[in-house]
Every structure is written in C-alpha cells, then in structure tokens.
Amino acid sequence: MEKGKKPALDEKEIIDGCLRGSSVSSRAMVDAYGNLVMAVALNVVGNRQDAEDVCQETFLQVFRHLARYDPSRSFKTWLLTIVYRRSLDMIRKKRRFSEFSARARFEPAVAERGGNPHPADPEPLPSALLTKLSPRERTALCLWANEGCTARDISVVLACSASTARVYLFNARRKIKALLENDHGLLQNS
Amino acid sequence: MAFCKIVDVIYVALPIRPLRAFLIRNHMERCPECQARLLSRAEAGRLFVSSDRVGMPVDLWERISSQAGRGTPVPEAPPNPAGAGWRWAAAMGTAAVVAVTGFWLLREVEKPGFGPGFVGAADRFQIDYVNVGGAPAQTFVYQPQGTDTVFVWATKNP
C-alpha cells in the first residue's frame, strides 16, 4: 500500500490483522492513523521532533496492548488516549531535562558529565498562544477544534469526568480569545 | 448582560469544577453574549496543525517495525516444541540425579560408622573417673536413643 492513500482494509480488519501479528495490517494502521496521531502529538507537545517520538511510542504501545482494546468502544478515542498520555510523558521528560539543563548552567561540572543541552527545537508550536494553556486545556481544545470531539470524548481521552472536560475546554477557549483580543488584536468582537 | 457578569464573577470566584460545569452547561453554552467571548471552533482550528497538513515522518513505519518486530508476522505463540523438549530433558535429568544420590546415600548407611555395627563402639565407651578442679566430679553420660552420639556432662561436686 502506498503511503498517504486510504487503506484498503477497514478498521476492524486492520485491528484483527494487527492482533494476528500481520505486518500488512500494522502498516495499514500506521498509514491510516499516522497523520492523526502526529497532529495531536504536535499540537500537545509543541515541536515536531518530540511529536515524532511520541508518534512512534504511541504505535508501539498500540501494537503491544491492542488485545486490551474494547471493540465496543471507539478505536479512535482509545488511540487518542494513548497519544495524550505519551505526550504528557514527553512534556514531563522535557520539563525534567529543562530543570537539569538550567542547573547545569550554574554547575559546569554537571554539564561536563553529560549535560549537553539539546539544540533549540526548530519547529515550535504552531501558535505561541497555545503555550499559555496547560497540556490538558491544549489537548481539549485541539480535540474539539481539529477532531470535532465532544466533551464526553475529551473526558475519555483526559481520563476525567465530562464536566471537568467541559471546564478545561471552556477555560481554553476563553483564555485564547482574551489573549487574541487583548494582546494581539487579531480578532474583532462580533 | 448583568446576569452574564454575575455568572462570570461566580465562575471566577469559585473554582469548583462541578459548579463551573453547571454554569457552563446551563448558561454560558447557551448565552450568545458569553459565547462571543469564547474562541470559536474555526478560530481554534487555525491555531492548530490539522492532520491533513501535518505530514508523517518518512521513516515512521521503519522505526516502528524495527522496534516492534513487525517486519515479519509474529506467530500467535504456539508452544515451542524444542523448548518443551529441553524442559522435559532437564526434569528427567534432575530426577535421575536425585535417584542416584539417594541410592548412594542409602548404600552409605550400610557401611561401618553409620549402621548397627558402630553401636558396638558406643557400648565400648568407658570412663573411669572425671576430675574437676583436682577433685572427683559428678559425671553424667547421655546417649540419645537411636544415635551413636555420647554426651559426657561433668559438674564439680558440691
């Protein structure tokens, strides 16, 4: 199958094939959902390099734990849950690294022992405004805006109640709107 | 408008999620004025990278397949006959070693020093007298039943 084309197999066939260990089905899954996973990871994590790592780890986890997927639920939501968790792990890892590299600036011995900082991430978040949101708010907004998810879908991904997901989404929409109006003046009040 | 402000003040002043969700569900999501202060779906969509514009990494599948071992189909875990054979062989070998060792130990029991022949030696045990501090001591001789061990206990006479 060529990359980028719609898979010839449907979702159930892909999942069944992956459960049997078929490499064709595994490839079809990556082709079918790779863009979705990559987009969500990029929007949550904030740079392409880390998003690619998240994407890779997500599919590895999917293949390892596909037997745990409940077919009565949405596969896309299950997949998004994994992307979100892997993205959070990446953010935490980066945060720990930032703390370490900040310490290394003051302690040269630490840097000499292997605290070589990463080069600056070449592709930051599409909109710097999104850095004003927490990862949960960013994920909620991304899923709502890009994937058309409802508060209930978002609550499954974020592992919280629908009410909480609604609050995250509302806060994100309000914060960004206020920032756009006050700081950037890009949008006009209707 | 005034009601919207009151709702807004309550929302900000009381960071209780169930209350906030209630306010959102029952007022803010329905009120056009409150909605105007929120980012629309179209506006939000412009801030994010969409899945049709993101572009997958070229070598994503290669990276995944090399780590997951998906280049070739994974067999559905039938029991490995060769492994089972080795396990049986190991079990039989262990049983054989135990049997031979047991047999050898039992044969040793028949030899002098461990059998009834040595009981005669215990019978030949003899103490004429025991002195403690230059004076004859009170002496006790014990032989536990069924063993060839002999204990001698001597205490100074009072």
Side-chain angles (χ1 to χ4, degrees):
Chain A
M1 190 192 320
E2 285 180 33
K3 276 182 77 173
K5 285 191 174 179
K6 276 278 179 190
L9 304 169
D10 70 5
E11 185 180 284
K12 191 176 182 313
E13 285 173 331
I14 290 175
I15 293 168
D16 289 344
C18 288
L19 284 170
R20 287 193 307 272
S22 159
S23 59
V24 175
S25 300
S26 305
R27 174 95 196 230
M29 180 175 284
V30 172
D31 287 342
Y33 296 103
N35 283 330
L36 169 70
V37 171
M38 187 67 196
V40 173
L42 179 57
N43 287 322
V44 177
V45 170
N47 70 77
R48 191 169 181 92
Q49 189 181 340
D50 292 340
E52 287 183 7
D53 289 344
V54 168
C55 194
Q56 180 182 338
E57 287 170 17
T58 298
F59 279 111
L60 285 172
Q61 190 171 351
V62 166
F63 292 141
R64 282 181 196 137
H65 302 302
L66 194 57
R68 296 182 192 169
Y69 162 63
D70 178 3
S72 64
R73 298 190 171 192
S74 161
F75 178 74
K76 186 179 164 186
T77 308
W78 186 72
L79 182 66
L80 289 172
T81 306
I82 296 174
V83 183
Y84 166 68
R85 289 180 186 166
R86 294 280 70 79
S87 302
L88 273 194
D89 288 345
M90 178 60 77
I91 289 169
R92 289 192 194 112
K93 203 163 80 179
K94 294 284 281 186
R95 194 179 297 149
R96 279 198 297 272
F97 179 78
S98 304
E99 287 166 4
F100 173 78
S101 57
R103 194 159 59 91
R105 275 199 288 274
F106 296 102
E107 297 174 27
V110 175
E112 284 166 14
R113 284 201 302 266
N116 182 29
H118 278 194
D121 290 321
E123 293 177 68
L125 263 181
S127 171
L129 285 174
L130 297 175
T131 58
K132 306 288 181 191
L133 303 178
S134 72
R136 280 177 169 247
E137 289 171 342
R138 206 155 55 223
T139 307
L141 189 61
C142 168
L143 295 178
W144 176 75
N146 271 10
E147 309 305 328
C149 290
T150 62
R152 186 160 292 282
D153 297 332
I154 295 168
S155 72
V156 174
V157 174
L158 300 187
C160 62
S161 67
S163 299
T164 306
R166 193 172 276 116
V167 172
Y168 283 134
L169 181 59
F170 180 85
N171 286 345
R173 292 173 65 191
R174 199 155 80 155
K175 271 187 204 174
I176 297 292
K177 181 76 171 182
L179 286 168
L180 283 172
E181 286 179 347
N182 297 338
D183 298 342
H184 298 267
L186 297 176
L187 296 174
Q188 292 181 349
N189 275 331
S190 56
Chain B
M1 189 67 184
F3 186 68
C4 291
K5 281 189 176 172
I6 292 169
V7 169
D8 205 42
V9 167
I10 293 172
Y11 186 91
V12 174
L14 298 172
I16 304 164
R17 280 203 187 121
L19 175 67
R20 285 183 159 185
F22 175 81
L23 294 174
I24 291 168
R25 203 167 48 244
N26 290 291
H27 175 76
M28 291 161 160
E29 280 183 350
R30 297 174 183 180
C31 170
E33 288 178 9
C34 291
Q35 283 292 310
R37 285 183 304 189
L38 296 178
L39 202 67
S40 71
R41 204 185 284 260
E43 288 166 346
R46 284 197 288 273
L47 299 174
F48 291 104
V49 176
S50 63
S51 54
D52 53 346
R53 283 191 297 134
V54 69
M56 262 201 304
V58 182
D59 60 342
L60 178 63
W61 168 245
E62 283 73 21
R63 285 159 60 182
I64 292 168
S65 60
S66 66
Q67 286 207 22
R70 294 265 160 171
T72 53
V74 178
E76 279 300 314
N80 185 356
W86 278 111
R87 280 195 294 276
W88 270 109
M92 295 307 288
T94 307
V97 167
V98 168
V100 168
T101 309
F103 180 72
W104 180 76
L105 286 174
L106 286 172
R107 283 193 64 217
E108 285 295 305
V109 167
E110 300 300 325
K111 287 182 178 174
F114 290 94
F118 190 68
V119 174
D123 289 340
R124 290 197 300 273
F125 184 79
Q126 181 180 331
I127 296 176
D128 290 337
Y129 58 88
V130 176
N131 280 347
V132 174
Q138 202 172 6
T139 308
F140 303 91
V141 178
Y142 299 102
Q143 183 180 15
Q145 198 174 9
T147 69
D148 303 319
T149 310
V150 175
F151 297 98
V152 178
W153 181 269
T155 55
K156 195 176 178 179
N157 272 322

